[in-house]
Amino acid sequence: MIRSGQRSWLGWLLSLGLVWFGSVTEATAQAVPQPHVKAELIAETTAIRPGTPVWVAIRLELEEHWHTYWRNPGDSGQPTSVKWTLPPGFTADDIQWPIPKRIEVSGLVGYGYETEALHLVRITPPADLPVGKPVTLAGKVKWLVCKEECIPGEAELKLVLPVTGDVPPPSTWTEAFSRARAQLPLATSEWKLGATVEGDAVVLLLSPPTPTEELTEASFFPFEELVIEGAEPQKLTRVKGGYVLRMTRSKVAENPPTRLAGVVVTPQGWRGAGTEPGLTVDVPVEPPTAFGDALTPTAGTTASKPSGGQPLGWMGLWLTLGGAFLGGLILNLMPCVLPVLSIKVLGFVEQSRAGRGQAWQHGLVFTAGVVLSFWALAGVLLALRAGGQQLGWGFQLQEPAFVAFLVAVLFVFGLVLFGVFEVGVGLTTVGGTAMNRAGLAGSFFTGVLATVVATPCTAPFMGSALGVALAQPTAIALLIFTALAIGMAAPYLVLAAAPQLLRFVPKPGPWMESFKQFMGFLLMGSVVWLLWVLGLEVGVDGLALMLGVIVLIGLGGWIWGRWGSYTYPALTRRIALATAGIIIVGSSVWGVSAIHQLPPVASAAATQPEAKSGSIRWEPFSPARVTELRRAGKPVFVDFTAAWCLSCKANERVALETAEVRAEIERRGIVMVKADWTNRDENITRALADFGRSGVPLYVFYPPNGNEPKVLPEVLTPGIVLEAFRETS
């Protein structure tokens, strides 16, 4: 007779034995090696319980650069399939397909998996399954594995599991099953879906549960073939009803689809960050009129983006890098470079006196300063955008504290150029008989300052390159920013490599001191410009505060120059330098900190919508206002600008505020809208991103006939503006 205590021990031993036996049977389910694929059948638990479904998975481990296919393979391929051989009474459901990825090979786009494919299947045993006797689950699995070439594969997979009356323990594959389930698409969501066909486009409408819900990336994978062109880009745009994803309709299908079924994928997750990236779509295709005005685009929603942030192809990458290099090169001709023109010109003068080796060193160090500054700005921008911040190129000048810091730095530079005090050759790279380490440090700092001040504006070719960069993986984005930096530094690198180009510069003499002081006036002009920008950002109080800081910096510089020279005793010099340093650094730090605490003021476009007599009447930008004007049939011109963008201001003076352009605006009844990006504005940042841009200037003309808007070049002339008005009207 077995007592109760003995029963518990026997039960425990029996359970332990089942676990051990289950692990043994799992071990007998060996992977089957095939060309470029290792296939095996795995289970989520170590045993089967009668009547309780058990999850198994067909696991395909793939060699690097090889892939298998999703349920719809795309332009070519074959989906993985299984034919089960199960014990009597067992039933198997269909394969559960994790979300695929786009795989481009030789111009064709397939939908599939790389590295590992885990296809989940639910198998249900009969309720009267005898306990204690193991069962064998078997299936003949077929797949197609491809790289450049494709190889069909198949394997007979088996898995032996014991049968227990208790809850079966988990297997060693539990975590893998959890990962696979996270990649299964949601069956339902709070997002509302709809579909229509507009001409050659299949349109998927995605309405968020709340108006503030953001969607920046999405891509669609249809369940059926011959629905869309897989190789064509998919365009995500913002509309009144939420978002639409436009895809090119299949050119082979005889008729448009009557129902749209598939999976729409976003890395943001459909229930918030870190949640399921896939959402099942199964909706009827309705006429566009069924959605009313929900498909009406908001401002700036026509630019293509790489679907789902897909990397560029090799040809696209080289074209983008070439455009980035040209954009950086042309940036040297933009008005934004003027703030540091004096320092660069003085550097050229110094190179004319140096040997070839020294000039080459300075060119490399200057280039390093430019490249590292581009990397730093790009890294901060990409990190903040990844954290959800709506930022674009030139974001540093949207921060009043940073503008105040630049004012202080450039004012100190100006005092040095005027000769108020000397800090050695390191700061300006001028003076002395040799270009020593301090001079190299000055060249590096010149490159840093040139980048920081010159990059807020975008030159031709640069805007589109920046837009592409911010939609790419980090490595590709940094490569594009590097091309921009090298383009900007190229002229100075060439002059450093060939100093004979500067042989026409007069020989050193007293003229150099006068020239240096003249360059100081250009730098002080930059200080005035930055003070104006600061006043627009924080108002007259912040401007007055910074002017007080400048006075203190001037006092510190005067003390430095008056008692810091070598004509005074060492103790006097030390006291003077310490006092000057405390005043200059202390007042600068205090001023920047105080300005950082000031609230921003409204933009000029918002506070002064009425224009003065003889100039353009501007309206402040808002996506809703642009949509309202377009629906009313009005022609609309949107100027994306900022006070710190000198290119923008130059375009306004040279092209927009001319008599002939103003007359054409009045004659055609064009509504002029100003998107003032001087201070940070998320609506403007999103609108720029919708056009594939990340900085200003950007000029967009919406014609009155409802056609696609026209994007104008970054550098305007009256002729360019007038031609855009006439072509699209």
Side-chain angles (χ1 to χ4, degrees):
M1 184 175 181
I2 300 176
R3 297 180 180 178
S4 59
Q6 291 175 317
R7 290 195 189 97
S8 62
W9 277 99
L10 287 174
W12 182 84
L13 289 173
L14 180 60
S15 298
L16 182 63
L18 287 174
V19 171
W20 174 83
F21 182 71
S23 64
V24 171
T25 55
E26 278 191 296
T28 61
Q30 298 293 329
V32 179
Q34 294 285 312
H36 313 293
V37 176
K38 186 165 64 175
E40 58 185 322
L41 189 61
I42 61 177
E44 190 174 18
T45 58
T46 57
I48 295 178
R49 189 179 187 185
T52 301
V54 59
W55 283 93
V56 301
I58 302 164
R59 181 176 180 270
L60 303 178
E61 184 178 342
L62 307 169
E63 287 185 10
E64 188 176 6
H65 306 307
W66 290 81
H67 60 271
T68 56
Y69 290 94
W70 188 53
R71 56 179 294 178
N72 172 12
D75 291 342
S76 65
Q78 179 180 331
T80 301
S81 64
V82 57
K83 184 176 181 180
W84 292 103
T85 302
L86 301 174
F90 279 71
T91 59
D93 294 347
D94 293 333
I95 289 177
Q96 301 287 308
W97 298 90
I99 59 173
K101 63 180 294 185
R102 289 165 53 93
I103 302 172
E104 184 173 354
V105 179
S106 302
L108 298 177
V109 173
Y111 307 144
Y113 310 97
E114 295 177 325
T115 306
E116 181 188 56
L118 210 64
H119 301 296
L120 273 60
V121 177
R122 187 176 68 170
I123 294 180
T124 305
D128 57 353
L129 185 67
V131 175
K133 183 180 179 181
V135 296
T136 300
L137 309 179
K140 185 175 183 180
V141 181
K142 295 183 178 181
W143 62 82
L144 184 68
V145 61
C146 299
K147 186 180 178 183
E148 293 292 339
E149 69 277 16
C150 291
I151 301 174
E154 65 177 54
E156 292 278 358
L157 303 181
K158 294 182 179 181
L159 179 63
V160 180
L161 292 174
V163 180
T164 176
D166 299 324
V167 176
S171 71
T172 56
W173 294 102
T174 302
E175 186 177 345
F177 277 84
S178 297
R179 291 198 310 268
R181 284 196 179 91
Q183 295 299 304
L184 294 177
L186 289 170
T188 60
S189 169
E190 293 183 0
W191 285 72
K192 296 181 180 179
L193 308 176
T196 187
V197 173
E198 292 181 335
D200 293 334
V202 176
V203 181
L204 175 62
L205 176 64
L206 302 154
S207 299
T210 60
T212 58
E213 193 84 19
E214 290 293 331
L215 186 64
T216 58
E217 296 180 31
S219 52
F220 179 72
F221 299 89
F223 287 155
E224 304 294 333
E225 299 180 16
L226 304 182
V227 175
I228 62 173
E229 289 290 329
E232 296 293 330
Q234 300 181 10
K235 302 178 183 180
L236 179 68
T237 57
R238 183 187 294 272
V239 295
K240 186 174 181 180
Y243 300 86
V244 294
L245 188 63
R246 283 186 166 84
M247 302 156 281
T248 303
R249 185 159 65 90
S250 173
K251 300 174 183 177
V252 180
E254 296 181 359
N255 300 309
T258 59
R259 194 169 190 88
L260 191 63
V263 175
V264 60
V265 177
T266 178
Q268 299 171 243
W270 293 104
R271 297 190 296 176
T275 62
E276 297 87 347
L279 175 61
T280 301
V281 176
D282 189 2
V283 293
V285 175
E286 303 179 68
T289 54
F291 298 99
D293 59 355
L295 300 177
T296 304
T298 58
T301 57
T302 60
S304 301
K305 295 182 182 179
S307 177
Q310 293 293 327
L312 294 168
W314 283 109
M315 182 61 70
L317 177 60
W318 281 112
L319 290 174
T320 302
L321 291 177
F325 179 84
L326 288 176
L329 191 65
I330 298 172
L331 187 62
N332 291 282
L333 305 177
M334 307 300 288
C336 293
V337 175
L338 291 177
V340 289
L341 179 62
S342 58
I343 303 172
K344 294 179 181 178
V345 171
L346 289 171
F348 293 157
V349 173
E350 185 63 31
Q351 286 181 27
S352 69
R353 299 192 295 153
R356 177 184 178 88
Q358 293 173 332
W360 179 241
Q361 287 179 9
H362 277 260
L364 289 176
V365 171
F366 173 83
T367 301
V370 173
V371 172
L372 291 177
S373 300
F374 262 92
W375 284 355
L377 287 172
V380 172
L381 177 59
L382 292 171
L384 292 176
R385 286 173 66 93
Q389 296 288 326
Q390 293 292 331
L391 297 175
W393 193 241
F395 68 96
Q396 66 271 23
L397 289 188
Q398 292 177 329
E399 174 52 57
F402 188 82
V403 176
F405 170 75
L406 281 182
V407 169
V409 170
L410 293 181
F411 186 72
V412 170
F413 263 78
L415 294 179
V416 173
L417 295 179
F418 286 146
V420 174
F421 66 99
E422 296 289 339
V423 294
V425 298
L427 191 59
T428 62
T429 70
V430 177
T433 59
M435 303 178 82
N436 54 25
R437 289 185 179 180
L440 290 176
S443 293
F444 180 85
F445 185 71
T446 301
V448 173
L449 191 62
T451 303
V452 170
V453 179
T455 52
C457 295
T458 53
F461 300 101
M462 184 176 173
S464 56
L466 287 172
V468 171
L470 295 180
Q472 298 304 309
T474 302
I476 300 297
L478 289 178
L479 190 61
I480 295 172
F481 281 112
T482 302
L484 280 167
I486 294 175
M488 180 178 172
Y492 316 108
L493 199 58
V494 170
L495 288 172
Q500 63 271 21
L501 297 175
L502 296 171
R503 64 182 181 275
F504 298 107
V505 176
K507 293 182 179 180
W511 70 272
M512 289 185 64
E513 187 65 24
S514 299
F515 182 72
K516 181 177 73 169
Q517 293 175 0
F518 174 74
M519 291 291 102
F521 284 100
L522 293 181
L523 211 57
M524 289 303 177
S526 303
V527 171
V528 173
W529 162 61
L530 286 172
L531 286 170
W532 174 65
V533 172
L534 186 64
L536 291 176
E537 291 181 338
V538 294
V540 67
D541 291 342
L543 178 60
L545 190 154
M546 195 62 211
L547 287 172
V549 171
I550 284 179
V551 172
L552 291 176
I553 292 175
L555 174 62
W558 174 72
I559 293 173
W560 191 328
R562 179 69 178 82
W563 288 286
S565 68
Y566 284 98
T567 59
Y568 287 89
L571 180 60
T572 302
R573 293 200 309 270
R574 292 192 187 99
I575 294 174
L577 295 179
T579 303
I582 291 173
I583 293 175
I584 293 174
V585 175
S587 61
S588 299
V589 171
W590 172 79
V592 169
S593 176
I595 285 173
H596 181 67
Q597 304 299 322
L598 294 176
V601 299
S603 68
T607 57
Q608 300 175 353
E610 297 296 327
K612 63 183 180 181
S613 177
S615 64
I616 296 173
R617 184 186 301 273
W618 292 97
E619 288 194 20
F621 170 84
S622 75
R625 178 57 176 160
V626 173
T627 300
E628 178 186 353
L629 291 170
R630 295 197 68 196
R631 290 169 60 186
K634 300 282 188 181
V636 182
F637 182 90
V638 182
D639 175 9
F640 293 87
T641 184
W644 38 261
C645 173
L646 289 178
S647 301
C648 305
K649 298 305 173 186
N651 284 332
E652 290 178 14
R653 296 291 182 185
V654 172
L656 298 179
E657 292 285 357
T658 59
E660 52 185 339
V661 172
R662 290 200 305 268
E664 192 71 9
I665 291 171
E666 292 291 332
R667 189 178 74 82
R668 296 180 179 271
I670 300 173
V671 180
M672 305 294 286
V673 176
K674 179 165 291 188
D676 190 343
W677 207 40
T678 301
N679 293 319
R680 191 175 301 175
D681 188 308
E682 293 190 357
N683 287 329
I684 296 176
T685 306
R686 291 192 195 99
L688 287 168
D690 288 336
F691 280 99
R693 300 295 177 87
S694 66
V696 292
L698 174 65
Y699 307 98
V700 182
F701 178 59
Y702 295 88
N705 51 20
N707 289 340
E708 294 292 324
K710 180 178 178 62
V711 177
L712 280 64
E714 288 92 341
V715 178
L716 296 181
T717 64
I720 291 175
V721 178
L722 294 173
E723 182 181 1
F725 290 166
R726 293 163 185 162
E727 278 185 354
T728 53
S729 299

